[in-house]
Amino acid sequence: MRTHTVSILLVDDREENLTALEALLGDLGLAMVKALSGNEALRLALRQDFALVLMDVQMPKMDGFETAELMRANPKTRHIPIIFVTAGMKDLSCQFKGYDAGAVDYLLKPLAPAILRSKVRVFCELYIQRCALEEREASLEALVAERTATLVRTAENLLESEERYRNAFELAAVGIAHVALDGQLVRVNVSMCDALGYAPGELQKLALGDITHGDDLDLDKEQVQLLLAGKTTTYEMEKRFLHKDGSIVWGHMAVALARGERGEPVHYITVIENITARKNLEQQLRQAQKMEAIGQLAGGIAHDFNNLLSVIIGYGNLAQMKMAGNDPLKGNLDQIIAAAEKAAQLTKGLLAFSRKQEMKQRPVELNSLIESVMKIVKRIIGEDIQLETSLHGGQLCISADSGQIDQVLMNLATNARDAMVDGGKLAISTELQEMEESFISLYGFGRPGHYAVINVSDTGSGMDQQILQNIFDPFFTTKEVGKGTGLGMSIVYGIITQHNGYIKVYSEPGIGTTFRIYLPLIKPCEMEGAKLLPARPKGGSETILLAEDDQAIRDMEGCILRDFGYRVMAARDGQEAVDIFRENSGSIDLVLLDMIMPKKNGSEACREILALAPQVKVLFISGYTADLIKEKGLLDKEIELIMKPISPPELARKVRELLDR
Ligand code: ADP
Ligand code: MG
């Protein structure tokens, strides 16, 4: 605290009175200011603060009472205590007048020095205390001001960080929702609205239950109980939400419970990450893996079956050729061959599904391909079903085995017919579509590029989820025994996959079905005309070395070749083939090699034989496609290949073609 020089004001019109007072109070350590009139006193009091005024009553112009009243009237001076000192105005009425004018004391001369001094000291003491008080008040005020400033600053910071939090809430890439204990959505952020297709504000009117898929409603009840009981602090789960348009949005949801000051539950804070794309990918992957596994199984069986059927059909044909037209057994044989051919059709279907079927891809224009197959489609669906086509305006060039694409359309048309027993409409259209990354990540399938799309829609019975999930499985059918084989869609699937394409189904029971097929586009191309095959193959008298490990097939193939006039040497494996070739080199014109054989496989034997005689003709026989064989590393260059099951005329034709080349 500051130490003050305390000043008092002495007022008297007589100089000698002032000097006397000064002498009386001289040793109190006060600063004494003197005024010779009321006016001067007022002026000084306005300029400087005094602890006390000692004032004469009788003065010319303005007496003490008047001066005191004026001092009391001015807020700047009203607090200064005034003591009147008088020699003349001693009666009581004067004294009262003095007190009325605001004096704190009224002293009569002659003054008792001790009393005057102690009175002055008291007032000076009071003054010092008042000053100290004022000072404290001032410093308190400063403190309050400082605190207020700090508070304001803190509030501003809070606002700023509140803004930051709001931004974090509003702009977060994940959906955030504050959910009331009864499930009502209290606050939701933009990501949440976007993911579910609602405008801001719309969601707040809903409850969590309104945007949760029906089957997942009860999923988190147990977890919520644990949370409320305080046994856990958060929980996470994957569940389905409903988009405004009714579609499903998969979300990974993390839930925490916000509690109040006394620990009471207030609301849930739910953070939801949209994982629809990942879920779709998983689903597609599962489907692809399933198809791959079934394909391998089916392909394996079909492959062995094919060998057996080759033998049956081959010998059947041979016997048929040799039989007289009126042979009583001819009817039986015809039945055997017909049944074997049906079985061959089935295995062909399985091979198609498992993508092990021979494929002759060449550039074709999809629209004209579809137009050319429409005649057959019309015949399949009959007259009760209306056919509507709408083809893309431009050319849609794809690389395809046109026979197989025909097959796809025929299978789809057959199913559509079966689904529209009371008639309806079959619509076939084509279009062009680009697949980009966003499409691929959204639907979980595809490779970037341009695609020709074929849509095949019917207004038939449609399918439920159960059927849709199995529709491409071989032998899956809902049709009565003898009516369906369950191979139609698996063949379609195999063919489209083998063409590096995709097929998707959309179907609702009672509404109808749409198949959407994507086939990769190639650059516009010159169309190749179909080459017509000669009707009857020619034979010859050349020598052929035949290598095949399966005895039945070896004998059958030998029979066919001899039948066409050729000389045949047979080997049981790759090594024997090489040995026989070495011993008879010069006399062998063509080598027929099975691809898979013990000791040496077809390509190993081929390499050694070509080393002995580079110009010799080689023809491979295989149950697998050339693509697959290449993929397995069995062959490194273009080869001549004939697929099992072998049809005798085709074998003869191919052998002749090679020998004549
Ligand atoms: P199949 O026709 O021999 O039964 P598919 O593989 O062709 O075998 O078809 C399998 C099943 O898929 C059918 O039995 C049928 O239940 C269903 N299906 C296929 N296409 C359609 C369609 N367009 N409408 C309704 N159901 C269909
Ligand atoms: Mg079918």
Side-chain angles (χ1 to χ4, degrees):
M1 195 188 291
R2 255 183 301 143
T3 48
H4 292 266
T5 345
V6 180
S7 309
I8 62 171
L9 181 61
L10 311 176
V11 191
D12 204 308
D13 57 322
R14 292 202 196 165
E15 188 73 59
E16 64 271 25
N17 283 347
L18 291 173
T19 313
L21 273 175
E22 225 175 350
L24 209 60
L25 305 169
D27 60 341
L28 287 180
L30 307 168
M32 283 174 281
V33 180
K34 294 174 285 186
L36 284 164
S37 68
N39 258 329
E40 196 186 355
L42 282 176
R43 225 179 306 119
L44 287 166
L46 280 173
R47 219 186 294 152
Q48 185 186 348
D49 197 18
F50 293 102
L52 181 68
V53 180
L54 288 178
M55 186 151 59
D56 185 21
V57 178
Q58 282 177 296
M59 290 185 291
K61 285 190 194 159
M62 192 196 290
D63 66 8
F65 298 142
E66 208 178 328
T67 309
E69 262 159 22
L70 285 172
M71 277 179 81
R72 309 291 302 160
N74 193 323
K76 275 192 163 169
T77 49
R78 64 175 304 156
H79 62 278
I80 306 174
I82 300 167
I83 296 178
F84 282 116
V85 183
T86 183
M89 313 282 282
K90 284 187 181 174
D91 49 305
L92 265 179
S93 66
C94 287
Q95 288 186 32
F96 284 135
K97 209 172 166 198
Y99 288 117
D100 277 349
V104 292
D105 212 344
Y106 200 94
L107 302 180
L108 306 175
K109 288 179 180 174
L111 295 165
I115 291 177
L116 179 67
R117 283 158 64 93
S118 68
K119 286 197 173 180
V120 168
R121 248 203 318 265
V122 166
F123 280 104
C124 285
E125 199 58 43
L126 277 173
Y127 173 77
I128 288 168
Q129 276 177 21
R130 184 163 59 84
C131 285
L133 215 66
E134 271 172 8
E135 213 167 86
R136 254 187 70 201
E137 239 166 53
S139 73
L140 267 177
E141 243 166 56
L143 198 70
V144 168
E146 196 186 306
R147 290 267 162 87
T148 312
T150 317
L151 273 174
V152 168
R153 258 199 314 280
T154 315
E156 278 169 0
N157 286 344
L158 268 175
L159 277 177
E160 202 181 294
S161 75
E162 147 83 10
E163 168 109 359
R164 261 206 300 275
Y165 273 113
R166 217 197 358 259
N167 279 344
F169 177 85
E170 283 301 345
L171 307 176
V174 290
I176 306 175
H178 293 180
V179 184
L181 296 178
D182 64 359
Q184 184 66 37
L185 296 169
V186 183
R187 248 183 109 188
V188 291
N189 70 351
V190 177
S191 287
M192 182 92 178
C193 295
D194 287 352
L196 298 178
Y198 286 93
E202 273 182 324
L203 263 183
Q204 264 104 328
K205 298 193 188 93
L206 301 177
L208 196 60
D210 299 331
I211 54 166
T212 301
H213 188 275
D215 294 350
D216 290 353
L217 272 176
D218 291 336
L219 210 59
D220 52 353
K221 288 234 163 93
E222 219 172 282
Q223 302 274 13
V224 168
Q225 288 312 318
L226 292 176
L227 208 58
L228 286 171
K231 296 208 169 86
T232 52
T233 50
T234 57
Y235 73 89
E236 297 179 25
M237 63 170 41
E238 289 181 357
K239 66 190 244 185
R240 286 163 290 180
F241 291 90
L242 291 175
H243 192 275
K244 194 181 177 187
D245 67 12
S247 64
I248 288 174
V249 177
W250 270 99
H252 174 269
M253 180 171 85
V255 182
L257 181 60
R259 290 181 183 274
E261 272 168 22
R262 277 162 284 116
E264 78 284 7
V266 180
H267 60 242
Y268 304 103
I269 300 166
T270 306
V271 178
I272 297 162
E273 184 192 357
N274 189 342
I275 54 165
T276 311
R278 169 161 73 73
K279 277 283 174 191
N280 282 342
L281 261 178
E282 276 173 14
Q283 154 84 21
Q284 296 290 337
L285 187 67
R286 261 201 303 279
Q287 175 70 7
Q289 280 170 341
K290 179 179 107 180
M291 293 318 250
E292 198 57 45
I294 303 176
Q296 251 166 26
L297 184 73
I301 295 171
H303 186 248
D304 287 350
F305 242 85
N306 240 353
N307 279 345
L308 299 172
L309 289 171
S310 303
V311 177
I312 296 172
I313 294 171
Y315 275 114
N317 274 316
L318 278 177
Q320 210 177 30
M321 278 192 267
K322 284 180 183 160
M323 232 171 220
N326 56 358
D327 194 305
L329 290 176
K330 193 168 183 303
N332 298 3
L333 193 56
D334 288 348
Q335 290 294 323
I336 294 173
I337 294 175
E341 265 159 6
K342 249 193 209 144
Q345 275 303 316
L346 279 180
T347 50
K348 230 172 138 185
L350 280 182
L351 280 171
F353 166 67
S354 54
R355 280 165 280 140
K356 293 196 176 81
Q357 197 191 18
E358 172 77 7
M359 204 172 50
K360 296 190 191 72
Q361 284 200 9
R362 45 172 69 89
V364 287
E365 203 283 310
L366 183 64
N367 287 332
S368 44
L369 194 148
I370 287 183
E371 264 163 6
S372 70
V373 79
M374 276 310 125
K375 238 193 240 157
I376 308 174
V377 167
K378 254 185 214 141
R379 219 171 30 234
I380 291 173
I381 59 175
E383 279 166 4
D384 292 340
I385 295 169
Q386 198 189 329
L387 178 65
E388 202 179 273
T389 52
S390 132
L391 303 181
H392 178 71
Q395 288 211 324
L396 295 171
C397 293
I398 58 171
S399 174
D401 184 325
S402 48
Q404 292 195 9
I405 302 297
D406 287 353
Q407 169 108 63
V408 165
L409 287 161
M410 277 154 36
N411 288 9
L412 293 178
T414 309
N415 284 340
R417 178 203 60 203
D418 292 349
M420 296 188 281
V421 277
D422 300 323
K425 195 163 83 182
L426 176 67
I428 299 178
S429 66
T430 56
E431 59 189 272
L432 191 144
Q433 189 189 320
E434 187 183 355
M435 266 189 211
E436 351 83 335
E437 294 298 343
S438 62
F439 177 93
I440 294 163
S441 69
L442 185 61
Y443 295 107
F445 75 91
R447 271 181 301 272
H450 290 85
Y451 288 77
V453 179
I454 313 172
N455 295 303
V456 180
S457 288
D458 66 58
T459 56
S461 57
M463 285 168 269
D464 59 22
Q465 210 53 35
Q466 181 68 32
I467 299 177
L468 277 175
Q469 264 165 20
N470 298 300
I471 185 169
F472 296 120
D473 296 359
F475 305 116
F476 172 81
T477 179
T478 57
K479 295 168 192 171
E480 57 196 83
V481 181
K483 247 202 134 189
T485 58
L487 276 177
M489 288 312 301
S490 40
I491 291 173
V492 168
Y493 180 88
I495 291 174
I496 298 304
T497 315
Q498 205 171 5
H499 280 78
N500 298 319
Y502 305 94
I503 179 164
K504 297 288 139 191
V505 207
Y506 306 91
S507 190
E508 295 276 350
I511 298 205
T513 303
T514 296
F515 290 93
R516 202 168 156 79
I517 295 169
Y518 302 80
L519 293 166
L521 278 186
I522 57 169
K523 299 251 163 61
C525 46
E526 311 103 56
M527 298 300 144
E528 280 179 41
K531 286 181 218 128
L532 284 173
L533 299 170
R536 292 203 67 82
K538 277 186 288 175
S541 56
E542 287 91 342
T543 303
I544 296 171
L545 170 57
L546 165 67
E548 161 70 61
D549 59 319
D550 186 314
Q551 194 203 333
I553 292 185
R554 188 170 64 238
D555 293 351
M556 187 265 295
E557 287 169 356
C559 263
I560 295 170
L561 293 169
R562 283 190 198 98
D563 233 62
F564 277 92
Y566 298 105
R567 250 187 83 214
V568 179
M569 293 178 192
R572 282 164 301 185
D573 56 56
Q575 186 56 54
E576 200 175 33
V578 176
D579 295 342
I580 294 176
F581 190 87
R582 193 178 288 119
E583 285 156 25
N584 298 277
S585 70
S587 65
I588 292 172
D589 304 289
L590 182 137
V591 186
L592 203 55
L593 292 170
D594 185 28
M595 190 54 78
I596 315 291
M597 288 184 294
K599 295 195 183 156
K600 279 199 172 74
N601 69 28
S603 61
E604 287 163 343
C606 173
R607 220 168 292 136
E608 291 192 23
I609 287 169
L610 285 177
L612 295 168
Q615 76 295 339
V616 76
K617 309 269 168 57
V618 180
L619 175 60
F620 287 96
I621 300 178
S622 171
Y624 297 105
T625 60
D627 285 351
L628 191 93
I629 288 162
K630 251 191 219 152
E631 218 170 85
K632 296 243 154 135
L634 290 172
L635 268 180
D636 41 26
K637 62 184 180 79
E638 288 306 317
I639 47 146
E640 292 297 334
L641 179 89
I642 182 163
M643 287 283 295
K644 290 176 179 176
I646 292 164
S647 95
E650 203 193 332
L651 177 64
R653 194 178 299 125
K654 194 88 192 177
V655 164
R656 194 63 254 158
E657 186 195 315
L658 264 180
L659 285 169
D660 290 342
R661 208 180 268 174

